[in-house]
Amino acid sequence: MNFASASVPRHLARGAVGFGLIIGSIAAAPFAGPVTLLAAPLALIAFRGCPTCWAVGLAQTVSRGRLRRQCEDGVCTLARTHPAVPAAHEAPVRPSPPRRAG
C-alpha cells in the first residue's frame, strides 16, 4: 500500500494536524469532558490510518524516486533509480582570501 504524500512538507503538515488533534483531544478532556475525544478520529483521516501508517508514508515520501524495488528469482531488493550526481558537475567552491592581521 502507498501512504506517501506529494511532498515532504505536505506529509509533515498532515502529521502535525494528526498529532495535534490527538494531543489536543486528550489534553482538553479533563476541562471540556469526553466529547473532546471525538476529535481523535479526525486524526486518523490526517494520518491516512494510524500513526504507524503516517510514519511508513514519511519513509515512502522521502525515498520516492530514489529507490526502486527489484525482484529476480524470488529475491527482492531495493536499488537506487538514479546514481548520485558526480562531483565534476558541481560548481567549484572558491576559498575565501586569508585575513590580514592589523
Side-chain angles (χ1 to χ4, degrees), residues 25-81:
S25 67
I26 292 171
F31 307 108
V35 75
T36 61
L37 297 177
L38 294 175
L42 296 176
L44 298 178
I45 295 170
F47 286 140
R48 292 184 188 164
C50 61
T52 303
C53 300
W54 177 84
V56 169
L58 179 61
Q60 289 177 344
T61 303
V62 169
S63 69
R64 180 176 288 214
R66 295 182 190 169
L67 297 175
R68 182 174 40 96
R69 184 174 160 183
Q70 291 179 325
C71 295
E72 294 179 13
D73 299 327
V75 177
C76 295
T77 59
L78 289 176
R80 293 179 186 255
T81 55

